[in-house]
Amino acid sequence: MNKSLALLTLSLSALLTPAHALDIAPYSAQALSAKQQAGELVGLHFHANWCPTCRAQEKVFNAFKGDASVPGTLLVVDYDQERELKRELNVRSQSTLIIFKGKEQKHRSGGLTDAPDLRAAWVAAR
């Protein structure tokens, strides 16, 4: 009986604990470096508040926050402020998304707003 109760408790705990889904945070060089050093999936979203495409992307990314099929971390880069990072990564337009697995770039796009396309980019980068 004790084994059955322990198994049931463990099973319920697994069901009630959310799987790791997309985490969204402001960009910092330290956060990017830590995620890359750990070999994790990390994306950079070059976002401008004045950009309607960026706002559309933001809505899609926020919807992914509870979705375990879209793992990793999205760091939101202020397009107007992070000039050195844009130069370093050759980013020429707002709404650019770059996804890394560790330090290896796995995806780069600009202007994607369709949820299935953005999900596919994350899944393919794993």
Side-chain angles (χ1 to χ4, degrees):
M1 179 72 171
N2 284 341
K3 280 186 178 180
S4 296
L5 183 56
L7 185 58
L8 177 62
T9 302
L10 184 60
S11 296
L12 286 175
S13 174
L15 288 173
L16 297 176
T17 303
H20 182 67
L22 187 66
D23 182 35
I24 301 174
Y27 166 80
S28 74
Q30 297 82 7
L32 177 60
S33 178
K35 296 294 182 184
Q36 288 183 318
Q37 290 296 329
E40 295 181 20
L41 193 62
V42 58
L44 298 176
H45 178 215
F46 287 82
H47 182 277
N49 289 332
W50 48 264
C51 169
T53 302
C54 298
R55 289 193 300 270
Q57 290 172 318
E58 182 179 28
K59 287 179 185 177
V60 173
F61 292 136
N62 282 329
F64 290 163
K65 286 197 313 192
D67 186 344
S69 72
V70 185
T73 301
L74 179 67
L75 299 175
V76 180
V77 180
D78 185 327
Y79 180 80
D80 296 317
Q81 297 298 316
E82 294 292 342
R83 291 188 173 109
E84 180 62 25
L85 182 63
K86 290 189 312 188
R87 186 187 62 70
E88 181 182 317
L89 295 175
N90 197 29
V91 171
R92 297 180 182 207
S93 65
Q94 70 282 358
S95 78
T96 297
L97 173 66
I98 304 173
I99 304 173
F100 297 91
K101 175 71 173 180
K103 292 186 177 187
E104 182 182 355
Q105 181 178 311
K106 296 289 200 167
H107 172 86
R108 179 184 285 250
S109 62
L112 285 181
T113 58
D114 186 56
D117 289 343
L118 288 167
R119 179 186 313 278
W122 278 95
V123 170
R126 285 195 254 184

